[in-house]
Amino acid sequence: METMQETIRPPVNEKVQEPVISIRHLYKSFGANKVLEDFNLELMKGENVAVLGKSGSGKSVLIKCIIGLLKQDSGEISVLGQNVAELDHDELDRIRVKVGFLFQSNALYDSMTVRENLEFPMRRHWIKMSPDESDERVMETLKNVGLAHTGDMMPVELSGGMRKRIALARTLILNPDIMLYDEPTTGLDPITGREISKLMVEVGEKYNTSSLIISHDMNCIRATADRIVMLVDGKCYADGTYEELKKNNDPKVKQFFE
Amino acid sequence: MALPRTWQNFLDETGDMSRFTGRFFAQGFKPRYEFAEFIHQCFIIGYKSLPLIGLTGFIMGLVLTMQLRPSLIDYGVESQLPAMVGIAIVREIGPVVTALIFAGKIGSSIGAELGSMKVTEQIDAMEVSGTNPFKYLVVTRVLAATTMLPVLVILSDGISLYGSYLGVNIKGITSFQLFFKQVFDALSFSDVWPAVIKTFFFGFAVGMVGCYKGYNSQKGTEGVGRSANSAVVVSSLMVFIIDLIVVQVTDLLGVN
Ligand SMILES: Nc1ncnc2c1ncn2[C@@H]1O[C@H](COP(=O)(O)OP(=O)(O)OP(=O)(O)O)[C@@H](O)[C@H]1O
Ligand SMILES: [Mg+2]
């Protein structure tokens, strides 16, 4: 099955192709709960891949393994050419600077203003910057997500869509090479969801990122992803573009398109 | 041999909590030190609890004085009132009541704060932002609680004694100087130092339990509420247990 996938993969276009994330034979379980079983995935530079799966299928677990928040039981995850499981703390931090993680629940720090939220990753990653530069970077990033005026507000004062934008700004502020989106549109109304999807495409182009989008929202996936990977029973069950998968008659694939 | 479920849970939890405390000692004293955050937490913890602790301290001193007076009059030792109240407050009531209020106020707020940070993934977010959340959140709060409680107890003792002075003056007249002279004459060094030392342990226990409960909060808003609640219950209980141990130890050492 797997060798087949490798040989079938269509010849890639002219750009030099190097995977920024590559996951091989990933296993992860919590006690008796086997969440990921032999999951494989490659994310090429400049590519936007969506991982589609039901609630509880282990999508969040997958992306937390990628960033080293959870440790896999076995298998290999390499990010920007480095094996995540083998990195020490400092090396992991250096990778994390280049990987933006948009959390499912936004994870904005409630006790800090929007500005302090955005400054936090810069300050903590020891990124040397004069106060002016830092202010400028914050303003620019806020402008890029369309919320230039919110710097002095507290997260509780923001609506769901605004929080998502601020959370996105906080991950973008370090100019990441890779973006990991954990259900960017879940919990938002369809209109706001569409705005967020559009914003994701925009910032993807502006910041020149490769992205992995975890979702079960077909509209979002369709708008943002070049390729879809289906996560079913802990495995990569099917793989293809939106149109390809839509034509697929397998019931487990079809259920997502209904 | 199967233990009853509740016992098993209790033992599991005790084990977890000991491991958590072990982690504190393993990580707490290695760099990178979060000094600024520690100061910030000291300020927040002190500032949040000072009004409440001041008020309860004042009432305690006043009420204790008024309650003791009739008995002392019966025994004909009314003049011993400042001495008795002083000893009661400094040795036992001040530290314990302050620690209980502290557990209610700070234990629950740490439990709820870390709990909601946990369930909304803020702790994970810190970790990917180049921060060790255990050091940044737990170590700073535990150290801040350990440093601030003794300070608060000393303040509370002072306010209590002032309340007591007013209590004495309701039905008699004593000068401020005379009252405090009587109090301090009655107190010896061996009354004061075990009382001060135990407050460090109280503060440590409240901080540790609050952080443990919050850091291990279950998913959902209900989990956060439960963390805050059990942080108060467990840390209040710990205060009494520590108090019991300290009195035994000082007794054995012959300090009393
Ligand atoms: N820290 C953990 N400890 C134990 N079990 C966990 C942990 N994290 C996740 N799980 C389990 O792993 C499974 C997958 O969880 P995960 O959060 O990845 O789902 P998901 O695909 O992201 O779902 P959703 O769409 O609801 O976010 C669930 O059964 C969950 O109970
Ligand atoms: Mg999830």
Side-chain angles (χ1 to χ4, degrees), chain A residues 137-154:
Chain A
R137 177 85 79 95
V138 169
M139 271 320 288
E140 186 197 321
T141 316
L142 283 176
K143 222 176 277 162
N144 285 341
V145 297
L147 288 176
H149 57 285
T150 53
D152 296 318
M153 290 168 87
M154 296 302 282

Side-chain angles (χ1 to χ4, degrees), chain A residues 30 33 35 54-61 70 104 183 216:
Chain A
F30 295 99
N33 179 8
V35 181
K54 281 193 300 206
S55 190
S57 56
K59 302 184 299 297
S60 299
V61 170
L70 288 172
Q104 185 165 357
E183 307 206 12
H216 47 220

